[in-house]
Amino acid sequence: MKELQPYNGLIKQIGELLQAGRAQAGRAINTILVQTYWQIGKHIVEFEQGGKAKAEYGSELLNRLAKDLTLEFGKGFSRSNLFQIRQFYLRFPKVQTLSGQLSWSHYSEILKADNDLEISFYAKQCEKENWSVRELKRQMKSMLFHRLALSKDKAGVLQIAEQGADIQKPADIIKDPYVFEFLGIPQQYQYQEGELEEKLIRNLEEFLLELGKGFAFIGRQYKISLANRHFFVDLVFYHRILKCFVLIDLKRGEIEHNDIGQMNLYLNYFAKEENVEGDNPPIGIVLGAYKDHILVEYATENISNQLFVSKYQLYLPDKALLSAELEKLLEG
């Protein structure tokens, strides 16, 4: 039995080397594939620009290329694929801007965005947060760029499009609205707050993706005891980038002024009783299905804690509406 231990160790070492080697080979193949498609797109565009070829593109060029390349090199050169490869070069005209972390599958999804601002944002954010293709699809479908952009001024929109979304202050982690379509709760279903909380915990991976980078789950129904009275914070997280607790209170309907006051109490407690050396002041998010902006403004005035009030919705946002609002902001 003892003789098998060194041998088993050898098997383990070889296995780890093979896995690392295959992963490295996969990354190298992906980089070559992305750069090759970029070069193919460049050749197509340059050919189009050479005299009458541009007019030919509109009718026959991609059809002819699809037919001839498929005959010579096999699958992967349909007209739609060639159109996407051509768009890839047009949207990323500088090869230096391509990321070695993103696969062709990532770029294929990113190219479905409507404009250059979105495309740049999703490419940067995908690289920053190391999204899988599945995660990227979900974030694009939930209109993440639009939701973040509409909370900023024009300069802020252009900045996140160019650099991605940085987390430097508490307000940077807040979305309005949050989208919980992954819970699968019908819009008209009369759910309870506890049921919503339970479903969020069951779908914690998707919930953390919606919250954004840096969140670590601490617990639910976190007990606070004050003067023989007990209070319970629905959800508690720790944000490793901002180095602070993040408290979330869920409300099924409209957010009331006393909900904001209660969260302020929780924040004061955590600042004095739960924080340790190195922790920054906690952040509170009261999350409800509806909010009255005037009520929120008056209820939060003169509160020194980092307290935010946001909406959530159980269905994907209206793309046309958000696009129109963003266009209006950029024009302004």
Side-chain angles (χ1 to χ4, degrees), residues 280-307:
N280 288 315
I283 299 168
I285 306 173
V286 183
L287 205 49
Y290 315 98
K291 70 175 184 179
D292 183 302
H293 290 275
I294 299 298
L295 183 145
V296 169
E297 179 184 337
Y298 282 120
T300 56
E301 194 171 349
N302 297 324
I303 288 180
S304 59
N305 287 317
Q306 298 286 350
L307 197 160

Side-chain angles (χ1 to χ4, degrees), residues 83-108:
F83 178 81
Q84 193 172 51
I85 289 169
R86 176 183 177 276
Q87 287 298 102
F88 181 46
Y89 171 74
L90 291 173
R91 297 292 197 178
F92 296 90
K94 295 180 180 178
V95 70
Q96 297 89 345
T97 63
L98 300 180
S99 170
Q101 291 179 229
L102 304 189
S103 68
W104 175 245
S105 296
H106 284 103
Y107 281 114
S108 295

Side-chain angles (χ1 to χ4, degrees), residues 30-298:
N30 166 68
T31 300
I32 292 168
L33 181 65
V34 167
Q35 291 179 349
T36 299
Y37 282 168
W38 185 89
Q39 292 287 350
I40 292 171
K42 181 173 186 285
H43 284 302
I44 291 173
V45 171
E46 288 178 347
F47 183 82
E48 289 170 6
Q49 293 169 346
K52 66 177 184 179
K54 190 169 185 180
E56 185 183 3
Y57 158 72
S59 56
E60 286 298 325
L61 178 59
L62 293 188
N63 288 335
R64 287 180 59 187
L65 276 174
K67 181 180 176 182
D68 293 339
L69 290 174
T70 300
L71 281 173
E72 188 162 353
F73 300 105
K75 293 181 179 180
F77 297 101
S78 65
R79 187 186 188 284
S80 60
N81 284 352
L82 288 174
F83 178 81
Q84 193 172 51
I85 289 169
R86 176 183 177 276
Q87 287 298 102
F88 181 46
Y89 171 74
L90 291 173
R91 297 292 197 178
F92 296 90
K94 295 180 180 178
V95 70
Q96 297 89 345
T97 63
L98 300 180
S99 170
Q101 291 179 229
L102 304 189
S103 68
W104 175 245
S105 296
H106 284 103
Y107 281 114
S108 295
E109 290 301 322
I110 291 169
L111 288 171
K112 294 175 184 177
D114 292 332
N115 57 61
D116 289 338
L117 292 179
E118 282 185 72
I119 285 172
S120 176
F121 168 79
Y122 286 117
K124 295 289 184 185
Q125 206 66 15
C126 209
E127 185 176 11
K128 274 187 172 185
E129 302 202 14
N130 197 28
W131 287 341
S132 66
V133 175
R134 183 182 69 83
E135 289 168 338
L136 170 63
K137 284 181 177 180
R138 193 264 159 185
Q139 297 289 25
M140 291 184 69
K141 198 172 182 183
S142 73
M143 303 288 287
L144 176 65
F145 172 68
H146 290 73
R147 288 187 286 142
L148 291 177
L150 286 171
S151 67
K152 301 181 180 295
D153 57 14
K154 184 175 179 179
V157 175
L158 298 177
Q159 184 178 358
I160 66 166
E162 185 179 336
Q163 302 174 7
D166 281 326
I167 298 173
Q168 298 177 354
K169 57 186 184 300
D172 293 334
I173 68 171
I174 304 300
K175 298 186 181 78
D176 194 11
Y178 289 82
V179 180
F180 297 156
E181 92 292 343
F182 54 86
L183 299 181
I185 300 176
Q187 199 170 338
Q188 303 302 324
Y189 178 68
Q190 296 298 310
Y191 56 91
Q192 299 299 313
E193 286 169 10
E195 189 176 0
L196 177 63
E197 178 188 322
E198 180 68 32
K199 284 182 174 291
L200 287 171
I201 295 301
R202 284 186 199 166
N203 295 272
L204 189 57
E205 184 179 350
E206 287 84 356
F207 185 30
L208 288 171
L209 180 62
E210 172 62 8
L211 289 176
K213 185 178 181 181
F215 282 84
F217 180 62
I218 300 298
R220 59 185 294 200
Q221 293 299 306
Y222 197 98
K223 187 177 180 181
I224 291 175
S225 297
L226 288 170
N228 294 322
R229 294 182 64 188
H230 304 298
F231 304 88
F232 298 88
V233 187
D234 289 340
L235 300 167
V236 177
F237 296 85
Y238 191 85
H239 201 280
R240 60 181 180 81
I241 298 173
L242 296 176
K243 299 191 183 306
C244 66
F245 287 104
V246 181
L247 318 181
I248 297 179
D249 224 12
L250 299 169
K251 301 301 171 187
R252 184 176 68 85
E254 185 171 0
I255 296 166
E256 302 291 346
H257 64 89
N258 54 303
D259 299 325
I260 295 169
Q262 184 169 270
M263 175 56 77
N264 196 45
L265 180 149
Y266 295 163
L267 292 173
N268 288 330
Y269 176 88
F270 264 75
K272 291 184 177 181
E273 303 292 342
E274 298 289 347
N275 272 17
V276 297
E277 186 177 352
D279 284 343
N280 288 315
I283 299 168
I285 306 173
V286 183
L287 205 49
Y290 315 98
K291 70 175 184 179
D292 183 302
H293 290 275
I294 299 298
L295 183 145
V296 169
E297 179 184 337
Y298 282 120

